[in-house]
Amino acid sequence: MDTSSFTPGAIALYAVLLVLLIFVVIALVRAVRIVPQATALLVERLGRYHKTLEPGLHILVPFIDRVRAGVDLREQVVSFPPQPVITSDNLVVSIDTVIYFQVTDPKSAVYEIANYITGIEQLTVTTLRNVVGSMDLEQTLTSRDQINGQLRGVLDEATGRWGVRVNRVELKSIDPPASVQGSMEQQMRAERDRRATILTAEGIKQSQILTAEGEKQSAILRAEGDAQSQVLRAEGEARAILQVFDAIHTGDADPKLLAYQYLQMLPRIANGTASKLWIVPTEFTAALGSISKGFGGSGVPGVPGVPGEGPTGPREEESAAVRALRKERMEALGGDTLTPPAEALREAQRQSEAATADATASGTRSGLPFDPAQEAGQHPGEPPQPTAAPPAEPEPPAEPEV
């Protein structure tokens, strides 16, 4: 091996070349910079701010240009620890906040404040105490949007010169003291009980109102139904009375028809499941006299009647207009369905004979001794039996003349 090449001069030359090579490599490394997306690099030249590198490839002057800091341009979320805040009614509440912000000017964020995150936190705490200090606990719990708006306005105005924009401020939690929480729970429970009582009372009220209205309408409808029923019943009775009246007058009613009706009522009087004794009324003799007179007798037992005469003498003739009116009413009432007078008279005579037999078999009518002359009036078809003349009473002696 030739040792003449390792002379001190050659070694020095190799060392210099090596140093130059290392310098070139380091210079190249420091000169070439690749900036990622959503990131900004601040470059200082000889200790002063030179420029801001945007995302992409950049070439710097080695050993003259220096990267001071990198800034994240994305929106960031910072949650600060709970801070004790005193309300206007001297209650200490713990409020936990969340800040949404974004760096808009990397130069100002680096050179205007040493640590913008710490600055935002302290500014949030002080602003929150100022805002909440003017509210009581009730307003604090119910005015989250108002507190958020005031905080955002103050923070955005203060951090604008820092190159930071506060997009949103949220109160994550508001925790009052434990004693206050118990009182609030009792108040909420009492409020809910009050609302439940009110709703129950309103429901009972509506139910009673609806029930009363239903009963009222039912009573009104029931009364209307009763009134209509009574009206219809009265109209029916009036129509029936009118038809009976017209039928009686159209059928030329006389004592025969009345006697027939009386005989029809006798079986109803005698009919009864609990009747053990049939009592004959005292006026039965007079009734039989009327019946006999209606069938052509004289009305006096044993004396025949005069044909064509009634109880009060000859019947008055009706006018033609009255007969025509009765005929029209009879036709309107269906007069063709009435029983002919001759047939009705025969039926009345038959029932009269049956009633006479029942009356005779039931006992003495008036308590007087039996007299065939009295029985003759009950048989209109038989001639009256002769009766012995009562003995003549002796005349009183005449007084002598003076």
Side-chain angles (χ1 to χ4, degrees):
M1 182 177 182
D2 189 2
T3 58
S4 59
S5 59
F6 291 99
T7 60
I11 294 175
L13 179 59
Y14 290 149
V16 171
L17 292 176
L18 181 59
V19 171
L20 290 176
L21 180 60
I22 294 173
F23 177 79
V24 170
V25 171
I26 293 175
L28 291 175
V29 171
R30 295 175 65 91
V32 178
R33 284 300 178 95
I34 299 176
V35 181
Q37 185 67 31
T39 304
L41 298 180
L42 299 179
V43 178
E44 295 179 349
R45 178 169 291 181
L46 300 177
R48 296 183 62 181
Y49 172 76
H50 176 59
K51 64 179 179 179
T52 300
L53 300 182
E54 296 179 355
L57 178 62
H58 299 274
I59 303 297
L60 303 178
V61 178
F63 306 104
I64 297 178
D65 296 337
R66 184 177 66 91
V67 177
R68 168 65 185 273
V71 180
D72 192 351
L73 301 179
R74 295 172 298 178
E75 185 175 3
Q76 303 180 43
V77 182
V78 179
S79 177
F80 300 134
Q83 300 295 327
V85 180
I86 301 177
T87 61
S88 62
D89 49 357
N90 297 325
L91 291 176
V92 180
V93 295
S94 180
I95 301 179
D96 191 3
T97 57
V98 179
I99 304 297
Y100 297 83
F101 67 92
Q102 185 178 10
V103 177
T104 57
D105 188 1
K107 178 182 177 181
S108 300
V110 174
Y111 292 105
E112 296 296 334
I113 187 172
N115 190 341
Y116 58 86
I117 295 179
T118 303
I120 293 174
E121 179 181 2
Q122 296 302 321
L123 183 61
T124 301
V125 172
T126 55
T127 305
L128 184 62
R129 288 177 178 175
N130 293 333
V131 174
V132 176
S134 61
M135 300 180 179
D136 56 10
L137 179 60
E138 189 69 21
Q139 293 177 349
T140 302
L141 295 175
T142 58
S143 304
R144 291 176 176 264
D145 294 338
Q146 182 180 354
I147 297 174
N148 294 338
Q150 294 182 6
L151 285 176
R152 183 181 179 281
V154 174
L155 292 175
D156 196 16
E157 181 180 359
T159 58
R161 60 188 185 87
W162 300 342
V164 178
R165 183 181 65 218
V166 177
N167 297 328
R168 194 171 183 181
V169 180
E170 293 291 342
L171 300 181
K172 186 164 61 176
S173 63
I174 301 177
D175 299 327
S179 59
V180 177
Q181 290 183 4
S183 301
M184 293 173 61
E185 290 178 358
Q186 293 179 0
Q187 180 182 2
M188 185 179 301
R189 190 179 300 109
E191 181 67 19
R192 290 180 178 176
D193 294 340
R194 183 182 68 85
R195 293 179 181 178
T197 304
I198 292 174
L199 292 177
T200 303
E202 290 180 355
I204 295 174
K205 176 183 176 182
Q206 293 294 332
S207 176
Q208 293 178 353
I209 290 174
L210 293 177
T211 302
E213 290 180 355
E215 293 177 354
K216 175 183 176 182
Q217 294 179 1
S218 177
I220 292 174
L221 294 177
R222 192 180 299 109
E224 291 179 354
D226 293 341
Q228 293 179 1
S229 176
Q230 294 178 3
V231 170
L232 294 177
R233 191 180 298 110
E235 292 179 355
E237 293 178 357
R239 187 175 299 174
I241 293 173
L242 180 60
Q243 290 180 355
V244 171
F245 182 78
D246 290 343
I248 292 174
H249 282 274
T250 304
D252 194 9
D254 52 7
K256 299 178 182 180
L257 181 60
L258 298 179
Y260 174 72
Q261 293 292 333
Y262 188 84
L263 290 175
Q264 283 185 336
M265 291 301 298
L266 290 178
R268 296 185 183 180
I269 296 175
N271 186 15
T273 57
S275 298
K276 302 301 182 181
L277 178 63
W278 189 47
I279 299 176
V280 179
T282 57
E283 67 275 8
F284 188 68
T285 305
L288 290 178
S290 298
I291 295 172
S292 175
K293 189 174 182 180
F295 290 158
S298 62
V300 180
V303 180
V306 180
E309 292 186 359
T312 58
R315 187 179 306 167
E316 297 181 357
E317 297 295 334
E318 295 180 337
S319 64
V322 174
R323 292 184 177 274
L325 179 59
R326 290 183 178 178
K327 184 177 181 180
E328 292 179 359
R329 291 184 178 180
M330 193 65 184
E331 292 178 354
L333 295 175
D336 296 339
T337 60
L338 297 177
T339 305
E343 184 178 351
L345 180 59
R346 288 193 297 272
E347 180 66 20
Q349 291 176 354
R350 185 183 63 80
Q351 294 186 5
S352 175
E353 293 174 358
T356 302
D358 291 339
T360 303
S362 62
T364 304
R365 297 186 296 277
S366 59
L368 298 176
F370 177 76
D371 189 356
Q374 299 294 333
E375 185 182 7
Q378 300 176 5
H379 301 277
E382 297 178 1
Q385 299 291 335
T387 57
E393 295 181 359
E395 294 182 359
E399 293 182 2
E401 295 181 358
V402 181

